[in-house]
């Protein structure tokens, strides 16, 4: 086989793989769905492993320490909500009104059963006014000293 | 010049460290773990800068065919890989307490990993081919194509839904002007950290370039014998 043919075959293989990847990519370019997308077409998502990105509805959290189960509602406009049951530990960064990305499946009763809960952080930073630099405490925690 | 930059960056790192751990307040939501931002963001900035140097010098090499451009591109690519790896690593360490995971396959993280792999490929290509005009030409093409991933990384958080938050430093305020979304207590240490990291980058690049020049000189002398 001449070098030109070799290059042509190799190039074609690479091009085919690239086209395949791009095609796959356009089929599912979203990292997560939104609650309104789910509620608009519930049958499309039922039983499928999906991610949802949304805000935690304020005053909807129920944290069951004994069962290690976190229940809350997600929303994007405070009107349409989806109840979520997450079997796992409540993350430190979990706050009501904050963004979360959850992974799991919709069950038959319209409840989202999450097996992964990620907390989304906004691009905004702010100073902790409540304990505006408690240096001593910081070094204690760094040195693992007695609190 | 190289020495001056080295000492300057060492002093700068000490200043930044004292400033960040001694005087800068903690973030309201993330607390202490947010301090890794002062390393994460400058690492990514140097990654962008370094691969831009590769991009620029690769074009210049293909145009002018001067060996010096090839040497600078090679040096900058190696340092860029280092900082890109550091950016990904600090991001993972930051992601664990903040998001609850070291890694997700969202658009920001995936395109950044792609950038890292492209330039690892660049370094590997250099290592496995003989030095010369042909190697320089191939490397230049990868350097130019690889750089094109950076605008994609930057815009990924605007185009797609990602776990990674949108840009803080280029957030638009009123009248469409960039207005960083952080209080001055965070912004000034960050700007200082960016400056120090840039000085340190200058030091690394000059040093690496000198090694490259001497290696070439040595190769020439050996060839003469």
């Amino acid at each position: 086989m001449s070098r030109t043919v070799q290059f042509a075959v190799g190039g074609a293989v690479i091009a085919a793989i690239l086209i395949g990847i791009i095609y796959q990519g356009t089929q599912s370019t979203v990292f997560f769905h939104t609650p309104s997308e789910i509620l608009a077409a519930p049958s499309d998502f039922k039983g499928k492993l999906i991610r949802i990105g949304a805000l935690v509805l304020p005053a909807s959290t129920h944290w069951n320490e004994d069962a290690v189960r976190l229940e809350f509602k997600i929303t994007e406009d405070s009107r349409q909500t989806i109840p979520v049951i997450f079997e796992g530990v409540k993350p430190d960064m979990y706050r009501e009104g904050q963004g979360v990305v959850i992974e799991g499946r919709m069950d038959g009763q319209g409840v989202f059963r999450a097996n992964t809960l990620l907390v989304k952080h906004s691009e905004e930073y702010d100073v902790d006014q409540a304990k505006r630099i408690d240096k001593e405490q910081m070094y204690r925690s760094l040195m693992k000293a007695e609190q | 010049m190289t020495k001056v930059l080295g000492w300057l960056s060492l002093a700068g790192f000490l200043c930044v460290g004292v400033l960040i751990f001694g005087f800068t307040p903690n973030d309201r939501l993330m607390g202490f773990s947010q301090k890794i931002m002062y390393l994460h963001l400058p690492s990514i900035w140097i990654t962008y800068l370094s691969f831009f140097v590769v991009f620029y010098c690769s074009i210049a090499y293909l145009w002018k065919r001067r060996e010096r451009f090839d040497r600078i591109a090679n040096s900058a690519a190696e340092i860029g890989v280092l900082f890109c790896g550091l950016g990904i690593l600090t991001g993972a360490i930051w992601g664990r307490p903040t998001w609850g995971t070291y890694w997700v396959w969202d658009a920001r993280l995936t395109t950044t990993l792609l950038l890292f792999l492209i330039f690892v490929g660049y370094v590997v290509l250099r290592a496995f081919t003989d030095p010369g005009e042909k190697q320089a030409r191939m490397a230049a093409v990868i350097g130019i194509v690889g750089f094109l991933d950076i605008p994609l990384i930057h815009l990924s958080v605007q185009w797609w839904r990602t776990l990674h938050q949108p840009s803080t430093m280029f957030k638009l305020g009123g009248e469409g002007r960039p207005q960083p979304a952080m209080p001055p207590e965070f912004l000034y240490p960050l700007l200082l950290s960016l400056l120090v990291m840039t000085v340190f980058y200058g030091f690394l690049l000059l040093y690496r370039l000198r090694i490259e020049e001497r290696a070439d000189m040595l190769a020439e002398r050996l060839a003469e014998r």
Side-chain angles (χ1 to χ4, degrees):
Chain A
M1 228 191 312
S2 76
R3 282 186 74 80
T4 322
V5 176
Q6 279 177 9
F7 271 113
V9 171
V13 170
I14 292 169
I17 292 170
L18 274 179
I19 289 167
I21 290 170
I22 291 165
Y23 180 74
Q24 275 257 307
T26 52
Q27 293 297 296
S28 59
T29 43
V30 290
F31 182 65
F32 53 76
H33 299 279
T34 60
S36 60
E37 286 172 11
I38 312 276
L39 292 169
S43 52
D44 289 2
F45 294 99
K46 201 185 146 197
K48 277 189 194 154
L49 186 64
I50 50 168
R51 285 195 203 94
I52 307 178
L55 301 171
V56 179
L57 187 73
S60 71
T61 306
H62 180 74
W63 165 231
N64 187 334
E65 269 183 25
D66 298 325
V68 197
R69 188 193 299 129
L70 185 66
E71 292 172 32
F72 56 95
K73 290 196 175 82
I74 50 167
T75 183
E76 58 197 298
D77 52 9
S78 298
R79 283 194 298 273
Q80 290 185 303
T81 63
I82 299 176
V84 179
I85 297 177
F86 170 60
E87 304 277 350
V89 179
K90 188 171 79 158
D92 288 346
M93 287 292 291
Y94 177 89
R95 300 277 190 288
E96 292 187 327
Q98 274 232 322
V100 288
V101 175
I102 46 181
E103 204 175 288
R105 294 169 210 276
M106 290 299 289
D107 70 3
Q109 284 82 51
V111 177
F112 190 79
R113 301 266 172 182
N115 48 39
T116 308
L117 169 60
L118 301 174
V119 178
K120 204 162 156 33
H121 177 252
S122 85
E123 73 276 24
E124 289 177 10
Y125 297 85
D126 203 0
V127 174
D128 188 349
Q129 299 290 355
K131 32 178 198 171
R132 255 198 93 87
I133 192 127
D134 190 345
K135 267 184 245 166
E136 197 190 345
Q137 198 189 350
M138 192 182 86
Y139 286 115
R140 275 174 184 279
S141 74
L142 265 182
M143 300 304 161
K144 300 256 185 265
E146 293 283 317
Q147 289 292 324
Chain B
M1 178 66 178
T2 313
K3 257 190 187 152
V4 175
L5 287 181
W7 286 111
L8 259 180
S9 50
L10 184 65
F13 278 128
L14 284 174
C15 285
V16 170
V18 169
L19 192 62
I20 288 166
F21 291 109
F23 298 96
T24 308
N26 284 353
D27 183 71
R28 188 167 58 87
L29 290 171
M30 285 182 281
F32 188 69
S33 68
Q34 179 261 340
K35 295 204 184 290
I36 202 166
M37 178 192 75
Y38 302 105
L39 184 58
H40 178 67
L41 212 142
S43 302
I44 296 296
W45 150 244
I46 298 299
T47 307
Y48 286 5
L49 177 66
S50 200
F51 290 149
F52 177 74
V53 173
V54 177
F55 177 70
Y56 182 86
C57 289
S58 298
I59 292 175
Y61 175 78
L62 290 182
W63 192 358
K64 305 277 186 193
R65 298 284 161 153
R66 287 207 355 233
E67 269 179 43
R68 185 165 170 78
F69 289 125
D70 182 50
R71 285 195 203 113
I72 300 175
N74 186 14
S75 310
E78 271 182 26
I79 301 169
V81 166
L82 186 74
F83 279 93
C84 192
L86 193 64
I88 292 172
L89 197 70
T90 50
I93 294 169
W94 193 8
R96 186 69 187 84
T98 309
W99 296 335
T101 181
Y102 289 110
W103 183 265
V104 288
W105 293 100
D106 85 342
R108 192 21 108 59
L109 278 64
T110 308
T111 47
T112 309
L113 182 68
L114 183 69
L115 183 73
F116 180 72
L117 292 177
I118 289 171
F119 279 93
V120 166
Y122 182 101
V123 172
V124 169
L125 176 85
R126 293 265 190 189
F128 281 86
T129 52
D130 294 323
E133 199 266 335
K134 195 179 172 191
Q135 185 203 62
R137 220 167 357 110
M138 288 194 292
V141 172
I142 298 182
I144 293 166
V145 175
F147 174 79
L148 299 179
D149 188 30
I150 288 181
L152 193 65
I153 295 175
H154 191 73
L155 292 168
S156 62
V157 285
Q158 289 166 29
W159 285 352
W160 297 298
R161 295 170 185 169
T162 56
L163 183 64
H164 195 288
Q165 68 275 16
S167 188
T168 298
M169 295 300 277
F170 295 98
K171 193 179 165 71
L172 297 181
E175 300 164 27
R177 272 190 313 225
Q179 190 175 32
M182 57 170 68
E185 286 105 315
F186 292 169
L187 185 63
Y188 291 121
L190 178 63
L191 290 177
L192 183 66
S193 184
L194 284 167
L195 178 72
V196 169
M197 200 61 110
T198 311
V199 173
F200 183 55
Y201 173 67
F203 164 71
L204 286 180
L205 188 63
L206 287 179
Y207 213 100
R208 180 67 186 80
L209 198 58
R210 209 162 70 189
I211 296 173
E212 192 81 352
E213 278 162 1
R214 291 194 179 171
D216 283 357
M217 253 159 60
L218 188 68
E220 270 172 39
R221 294 270 172 85
L222 288 173
E224 279 167 17
R225 283 173 59 164

